[in-house]
Amino acid sequence: MRIAVASGKGGAGKTTIATSLAVIAAERGLTTTFLDCDVEEPNGHLFLHPALCQKQVVNVPVPQLDEKTCRDHGVCGRCGQACHFSAIVCLGDVVVVNPDLCHGCGACILACPANALKEVPHRTGVVESGQAGALRFAQGLLDVGQAMASPVIRRVKEWGAQEVPAGLTIVDAPPGTACPTVEAVRGSDFVLLVVEATPFGLHDAALAADTLEALGVRAAAVLNRVDRFVEAGRGITEFGGAILRGTMPVLARIPADRQVAEAYARGQMPIGVVPRFRQAMERLLTRLLEVARREAA
Amino acid sequence: MKELVVISGKGGTGKTSLVGSFAALAGSAVLADCDVDASDLPIILDPQVRERSDFLQGHHARVSADTCVGCGVCQSVCRFDAIRGDGPANTFSKRTFRVDPLACEGCGACQQVCPRNAIALEPVLAGQWFISATRFGFMVHARLGPGGQNSGKLVSQVRRKAHDLARTQSAGFLLVDGSPGIGCPVIASVAGADLVLMVTEPTPSGAHDLQRVVALVRHFKVPAMVCVNRWDLNPAQAAHIEAIAFEAGIVAAGRVRVDDVFDRAQRQKLTVVEMASTDVGRDIRRVWINIRARLDGLAQEKPS
Ligand code: SF4
Ligand code: SF4
Ligand code: SF4
Ligand code: SF4
């Protein structure tokens, strides 16, 4: 079973909750894998302290030009017309490739009548993997200055899918609603949406909920940092429409807790030092697995 | 006009609340909300939309179920696993092929190889962008549709519009609420700015993210300052973050303390500095003064 933990915005507590659930699941004897797909800012390792023993470079296949062959064909320009991302541009009799823009789609290769393009690897990031206690662990890291997160995310998911088909996989997905989030969530059996119970948080979560609905994955929400205002039921109706429309069950309400914030700030896992937070996470995992299994069946 | 872009590694560091406050303090500003995935500035600025435009970006392939012969060649060239063989039957084939729009990157490879010309590439409505009036000046903001691709392009669009507006309005400042992360949207929001303010938190993730953002800002050679928000959650970590930043040539703009006035302001749809006099309000004013001084300094250094 693969469960993605997502959020509408960063800072909602997604990593805290994802790492807590993974650790507790492993304690319960489930074969558990933690995949940090938040490849722009992977933070899970800061709390799980994995021993990372493998490193795989992620490459995107990018075209390389054989100028002579191309010129022999009169620089026909078809590659440039085929590329939808302006990553290969033909201007007069020059052809220029910009690897940073290339999606590695291969359309230019298909279009070239002269076989003047061959694909060479262009590095976009790296996948690091190993073990964090009882957890299998992998994280993707997008290289700075690289724009394309999706290939790195795909490789993290591939790593997670090998070897252990049974058990539980927790995916820490990038926040937001754009392509990296979609890539991380795709293929999951269930999604847990971590909602920060503030106006900003509820508003962003509502957008994320729409995206999940469009993707057709089943999801449930956990309201995090709930204070008295939200407990009174205000705020949610005004800012978090989608969640209250009833399309998404709320599995838990985690109260705002300065001790949790301080533990996090010290780099400690809050479940290790704040007993009431551990209990909340224990209950959340039980309910989550129940609901996810029911939905998946 | 001076352009300040406010970014954070991860989101949720209070970046948007600070931008809103700066807008209240700036006097004459144009605002750009480049956090198009999670556009929150409008919540506290109550924008009156004056202009609305569709943002068309990229393409999605679509198979015509009447023409497809089910050969599957399209699927064999698609590198994004976007083509499924579970479309409806037709007179040629028991099953046709179908494109999953949320996986399709619109590269057109499938269209090139389809022997029946059954595939069309259609432009995608990826989002919308708006020009609005707020109580602090004009704001350009946007909304990206679900799974929108290439939000970097939308960010560039928002920023370009905001630049134009700031110029025609002769605004003193262009304040940009930047995108989180280090990927394409944030690249589009940072390149060429006068000054970048990084807002971070005194947590291990804050320190870690900061290092990645430092690398990004260096990559683009943009002057930067750092502001540690909620610094009193972990004073030692706050100092550590400022030290890392300092070594990278990034000066501290000041610290802001923990206070639930951030949440209360959001609920009242106000910026933090519009709330009755608070310590946090004073923290933010100090940060703004330091930023303004740095912007003035940079303007003098720059050969005109
Ligand atoms: S592989 Fe695709 S994106 Fe890259 S240059 Fe060729 S056509 Fe453009
Ligand atoms: S399609 Fe091939 S031959 Fe034509 S310009 Fe491009 S590389 Fe040269
Ligand atoms: S290549 Fe064309 S005809 Fe063949 S399966 Fe794809 S869409 Fe159908
Ligand atoms: S346009 Fe590209 S990504 Fe989309 S279905 Fe066709 S080959 Fe796949």
Side-chain angles (χ1 to χ4, degrees), chain B residues 76-87:
Chain B
S76 70
V77 299
C78 177
R79 294 191 176 169
F80 306 100
D81 194 21
I83 300 185
R84 311 269 134 82
D86 60 358

Side-chain angles (χ1 to χ4, degrees), chain A residues 8-12 39-43 45-47 61 82-86 100 103-112 119 140-148 150 154 175-183 186 196-201 203-204 207 210-211 214-216 225 227 229-230 238-239 258 261-262 264-268, chain B residues 8-13 16-17 36-41 43-44 59 77-81 84 100 102-113 121 143-151 153 180-187 201-206 208-210 212-213 215-216 219-220 230 232-234 237 258 263 266-267 269:
Chain A
K9 73 196 275 269
V39 302
E40 291 183 45
E41 315 284 340
N43 286 153
H45 70 103
L46 296 170
F47 301 92
C83 181
H84 283 257
F85 310 106
S86 316
D100 288 347
H103 288 224
C105 70
C108 53
I109 312 275
L110 289 171
C112 177
E119 290 187 306
L141 276 159
L142 182 69
D143 285 348
V144 169
Q146 290 296 314
M148 237 67 74
S150 296
R154 242 174 263 141
T177 58
C179 36
T181 309
V182 169
E183 185 59 55
R186 189 198 319 282
E196 186 191 64
T198 61
F200 287 0
H203 169 259
D204 299 340
L207 297 177
D210 290 347
T211 301
L215 268 170
R225 304 211 191 100
D227 62 6
F229 180 86
V230 177
E238 187 176 357
F239 299 102
R258 176 140 182 175
E262 284 178 1
Y264 180 85
R266 285 191 302 267
Q268 291 171 315
Chain B
S8 62
K10 64 177 192 123
T13 58
T16 300
S17 296
V36 296
D37 278 14
S39 167
D40 290 339
L41 206 47
I43 296 177
I44 45 172
H59 296 84
V77 299
C78 177
R79 294 191 176 169
F80 306 100
D81 194 21
R84 311 269 134 82
D100 172 0
L102 282 164
C104 174
E105 302 213 3
C107 71
C110 55
Q111 189 189 34
Q112 273 191 57
V113 297
L121 281 182
R143 187 177 174 154
L144 190 68
Q149 278 183 23
N150 228 335
S151 48
K153 290 254 169 68
I182 59 161
C184 59
V186 72
I187 290 172
E201 287 181 327
T203 62
S205 15
H208 182 253
D209 290 350
L210 180 79
R212 291 180 55 88
V213 177
L216 178 86
H219 189 93
F220 288 101
R230 305 190 191 119
D232 41 344
L233 274 181
N234 188 340
Q237 184 72 257
V258 184
D263 292 359
Q266 281 179 26
R267 274 175 205 141
K269 303 185 176 169

Side-chain angles (χ1 to χ4, degrees), chain A residues 224-227 254-264 270 274-278, chain B residues 233:
Chain A
N224 197 20
R225 304 211 191 100
V226 173
D227 62 6
I254 315 290
D257 190 334
R258 176 140 182 175
Q259 279 187 27
V260 171
E262 284 178 1
Y264 180 85
V274 188
R276 55 181 180 267
F277 186 72
R278 168 176 275 272
Chain B
L233 274 181

